[in-house]
Amino acid sequence: MPALPWYHKTSIYQIYPRSFHDSNQDGIGDIQGIIQKLDYIKELGFESIWCSPFFSSPQADFGYDISNYADIAPEYGTMSDALQLIDETHRRGMKIVFDMVMNHTSIEHPWFKESRSSRDNPKVDWYLWRDKPNNWQSVTAGSGWHYAAERKQYYWASFLPFQPDLNYRNPEVKQTMFDIARFWLGKGVDGFRLDIFNYIYKDAEFRDNPFTPGLIPTESNPSGFFQKAQYTLNRPESYELAKELRSVCDEFGEKLLLGEVSGNRNTIRKFMGEEVNDGLTLVFDFGMMDFKFTARYFRDLIEDIERYFPDPFMPVYVFSNHDRARSISRLENDIRKAKLLHLLQLTLRGVPCMYYGEEIGMTNLRLPFAAALDPIPHKFESIPRLVFDMLGMTLNRDEVRTPMQWNGAKNAGFSSAEKTWLPVHPNYEAVNVERESQDKSSLLNTIRAILKIRNSESALRRESLEWIDRLPKSVLGYQRKDGENVIAVLLNFDDKEKEFQLSEGKWTCILGLSRDDHFMDDIVKLNSYGGMILKSAE
Ligand code: GLC
Ligand code: CA
């Protein structure tokens, strides 16, 4: 079997810099703060980190609105801090990917200011300008066309009005963005997470989107607000762009490109290439965010993913991020379920991507919409919150971005400032790194133990995944193989204990999620929501 590229074997830890660790007591997390915590991530067992953006930005969308791609926002640090971060990550044998927001800039970006200033300037068509809007809706609902009095024209913004979309049909724009990628690759970053990559190209003729009865977009169907997003995303030119960006990266060696894309599995897979993986190296598959906590659901999910992402492709397993609910909030805040979910995530055939704080079981913090720093809820202030609660939507992303809980001290050890940028979750005295480090059976130590096995057992980082059949209905079981090295994983999704025989092969149990998970004389006993990793004894 040929060796897998590193980016198909790795495990990714997502850092939201503003909330990770504050090194200079201003209440805002920063790059030096990340550097101080690299040993923690290393020791936890993740091999790569992805940092949400810390480039120059007015922070209207907390860094996803960039005003200079080649500099760092002062509240996070300096260029030299960023270079030190790359260096310190590499010194620990880990990889680091930055967040590239290619689709749009901030309205404050000098390119946009120039483009907006007149109908006759060198950047006149760096953005998408029209005399009249068509019917296109933005991702955040409502028309995405916004009037600029200076030009007496409308510009297009897929996301929020202060995030104007760049025009990639202008070759200068594309080249400039590729050069920005080269700039950071030249500084040593190991790749990029690509923000709303599937939105970059819109229809060249600006044709109206057709009607669809659906109101609310879902993870696997981004159409909504009564229109099919036919001409605003997943355009053929964006698949091509994936390949071009990949060749830019190839100039620098094996680099990771992780696309934030949306659509059904067939659509998102296309970003990686047709027969060979010559596009993005990985894409998020957000469909799984709506998981049901049953063995049947995950069996179907994994089978489907295996169908769409066979070798030489590799899937990504992700259950939360800075835009979506904390995974434990979808598990009735049950630590046993969280352990099981992460045992699955870290042992499947795929690249796991874990959002900071998931490893200690951080939960959403309910905050009033009116005081939100996130711009999204302000768009919907006229709609009662109850509606979103009923739909299970986390509209206010502040709720999933609260400071990392390091210990039981002031501000959970995140910062010693009087006020932190977002409040610390009041559960920090019980849920924090220091406390969970001392408890052998904590979620944190469980994840450490699983990652340790993942990092030392080559079978868990190969292409193979085979089902173990004839198990109780609520139990999911699979094997991973690398030649003689075989690992089996068994997971009980029921709250009742399960006992069954596992006759094929000779096994040793190398991890049990609960104290009562046992394996002896071919008999497996799994506690409620228990789980186990077995290793072939040959
Ligand atoms: C992506 C980011 C999100 C951001 C949006 C606009 O979805 O994950 O945080 O607000 O793009 O850039
Ligand atoms: Ca700071």
Side-chain angles (χ1 to χ4, degrees):
M1 262 190 279
L4 290 177
W6 72 266
Y7 49 69
H8 281 175
K9 288 190 289 207
T10 197
S11 49
I12 305 174
Y13 186 81
Q14 181 193 351
I15 293 175
Y16 194 70
R18 210 174 176 83
S19 296
F20 201 55
H21 188 53
D22 174 18
S23 74
N24 65 347
Q25 333 309 350
D26 63 356
I28 299 174
D30 45 56
I31 297 177
Q32 284 301 331
I34 300 174
I35 294 171
Q36 288 170 13
K37 296 297 183 183
L38 285 175
D39 286 332
Y40 165 75
I41 304 167
K42 172 75 184 169
E43 196 255 337
L44 181 56
F46 282 95
E47 295 169 294
S48 299
I49 61 175
W50 147 37
C51 296
S52 281
F54 38 53
F55 310 107
S56 307
S57 159
Q59 308 292 339
D61 191 19
F62 297 105
Y64 285 95
D65 50 327
I66 295 173
S67 54
N68 184 351
Y69 289 81
D71 207 356
I72 306 299
E75 60 212 296
Y76 298 128
T78 60
M79 184 54 104
S80 113
D81 292 326
L83 300 183
Q84 190 191 341
L85 173 63
I86 298 172
D87 205 51
E88 296 274 351
T89 309
H90 289 163
R91 275 198 333 140
R92 288 165 176 80
M94 295 188 288
K95 307 273 189 190
I96 178 161
V97 294
F98 282 5
D99 209 317
M100 270 288 277
V101 187
M102 291 174 66
N103 178 70
H104 50 267
T105 67
S106 158
I107 206 164
E108 301 289 327
H109 198 295
W111 302 337
F112 185 74
K113 289 188 179 165
E114 186 173 349
S115 187
R116 183 179 54 191
S117 66
S118 69
R119 289 202 202 184
D120 172 29
N121 67 67
K123 301 224 165 20
V124 69
D125 57 0
W126 273 48
Y127 293 82
L128 297 165
W129 291 100
R130 299 268 290 163
D131 291 336
K132 269 204 184 83
N134 61 8
N135 81 342
W136 293 355
Q137 305 256 10
S138 76
V139 186
T140 58
S143 173
W145 291 104
H146 308 284
Y147 190 65
E150 299 94 319
R151 273 180 73 143
K152 298 197 177 55
Q153 275 185 317
Y154 295 81
Y155 65 87
W156 170 253
S158 292
F159 210 73
L160 289 160
F162 55 79
Q163 290 160 313
D165 285 28
L166 285 160
N167 174 20
Y168 279 79
R169 294 182 196 279
N170 178 335
E172 256 187 313
V173 169
K174 202 202 277 187
Q175 278 320 313
T176 303
M177 216 33 115
F178 287 170
D179 285 342
I180 287 162
R182 288 190 181 97
F183 172 81
W184 287 113
L185 291 165
K187 303 241 179 275
V189 296
D190 300 293
F192 305 103
R193 176 265 187 189
L194 302 161
D195 194 66
I196 57 172
F197 189 82
N198 60 323
Y199 282 81
I200 291 182
Y201 277 93
K202 275 62 66 173
D203 181 46
E205 295 162 45
F206 296 95
R207 279 171 284 185
D208 272 351
N209 274 334
F211 174 82
T212 176
L215 171 63
I216 313 282
T218 65
E219 294 289 3
S220 47
N221 181 5
S223 291
F225 318 118
F226 302 115
Q227 71 171 234
K228 187 162 178 255
Q230 184 167 332
Y231 295 116
T232 33
L233 54 100
N234 295 332
R235 303 301 300 162
E237 296 94 327
S238 293
Y239 302 130
E240 278 313 303
L241 184 70
K243 292 192 180 158
E244 290 174 66
L245 183 59
R246 173 65 179 275
S247 3
V248 170
C249 285
D250 287 346
E251 296 165 18
F252 295 81
E254 255 179 27
K255 299 292 173 181
L256 184 154
L257 284 175
L258 170 51
E260 186 199 27
V261 292
S262 52
N264 62 34
R265 239 155 240 147
N266 187 40
T267 304
I268 62 173
R269 220 312 292 288
K270 287 195 205 154
F271 286 98
M272 300 176 81
E274 292 294 331
E275 306 281 316
V276 290
N277 180 207
D278 57 356
L280 305 185
T281 62
L282 296 165
V283 294
F284 285 119
D285 180 338
F286 294 126
M288 69 183 75
M289 297 263 186
D290 296 324
F291 63 81
K292 286 189 197 60
F293 201 67
T294 64
R296 181 77 260 165
Y297 171 86
F298 283 110
R299 169 97 190 211
D300 292 345
L301 172 79
I302 297 158
E303 278 181 357
D304 207 45
I305 287 181
E306 287 291 302
R307 243 194 320 279
Y308 282 104
F309 299 90
D311 185 43
F313 302 97
M314 188 62 84
V316 174
Y317 284 92
V318 62
F319 295 109
S320 63
N321 63 27
H322 62 293
D323 299 323
R324 292 165 172 86
R326 291 270 177 194
S327 66
I328 203 164
S329 72
R330 283 168 278 150
L331 298 168
E332 291 82 38
N333 289 330
D334 188 330
I335 291 285
R336 296 169 307 165
K337 292 185 181 176
K339 287 182 187 170
L340 199 67
L341 183 74
H342 295 307
L343 172 60
L344 177 92
Q345 181 186 29
L346 301 172
T347 57
L348 284 169
R349 176 189 161 273
V351 172
C353 183
M354 199 181 284
Y355 185 45
Y356 83 92
E358 290 286 288
E359 73 275 27
I360 51 171
M362 277 178 65
T363 58
N364 297 350
L365 174 61
R366 205 176 158 87
L367 294 164
F369 276 14
L373 301 182
D374 181 12
I376 303 262
H378 295 293
K379 256 191 105 159
F380 299 93
E381 260 166 12
S382 56
I383 304 173
R385 169 154 196 168
L386 188 70
V387 175
F388 300 104
D389 287 345
M390 275 162 52
L391 292 168
M393 286 167 77
T394 305
L395 206 59
N396 180 4
R397 297 173 297 172
D398 293 354
E399 301 186 353
V400 306
R401 297 174 176 176
T402 57
M404 177 67 177
Q405 293 162 207
W406 295 104
N407 55 43
K410 180 180 174 184
N411 295 328
F414 160 71
S415 167
S416 51
E418 266 329 297
K419 195 168 178 282
T420 55
W421 82 283
L422 279 178
V424 172
H425 197 298
N427 71 7
Y428 75 95
E429 280 175 19
V431 179
N432 69 59
V433 171
E434 192 176 283
R435 188 176 161 146
E436 289 188 37
S437 293
Q438 285 147 13
D439 170 3
K440 224 176 136 247
S441 67
S442 66
L443 178 59
L444 178 63
N445 277 330
T446 302
I447 287 173
R448 272 190 188 132
I450 301 169
L451 279 169
K452 200 162 174 206
I453 294 174
R454 183 186 161 94
N455 294 341
S456 58
E457 295 296 339
S458 59
L460 289 173
R461 298 137 59 90
R462 299 297 314 186
E463 297 88 339
S464 77
L465 182 134
E466 285 161 39
W467 294 110
I468 302 173
D469 286 314
R470 290 187 301 276
L471 297 174
K473 228 174 88 196
S474 68
V475 176
L476 193 68
Y478 46 85
Q479 288 186 31
R480 308 283 317 280
K481 276 190 191 150
D482 182 25
E484 297 294 285
N485 175 3
V486 186
I487 295 286
V489 183
L490 297 163
L491 309 106
N492 178 17
F493 286 86
D494 200 358
D495 65 354
K496 288 184 201 63
E497 145 187 327
K498 297 283 135 111
E499 198 175 300
F500 52 94
Q501 205 178 2
L502 193 73
S503 31
E504 291 140 67
K506 273 201 160 55
W507 303 99
T508 334
C509 175
I510 55 173
L511 179 134
L513 286 185
S514 109
R515 222 177 293 117
D516 301 319
D517 295 337
H518 282 295
F519 177 73
M520 214 193 278
D521 301 330
D522 290 356
I523 301 296
V524 178
K525 215 176 100 193
L526 291 179
N527 203 359
S528 60
Y529 306 121
M532 176 177 291
I533 304 182
L534 299 160
K535 186 178 163 133
S536 66
E538 267 100 356

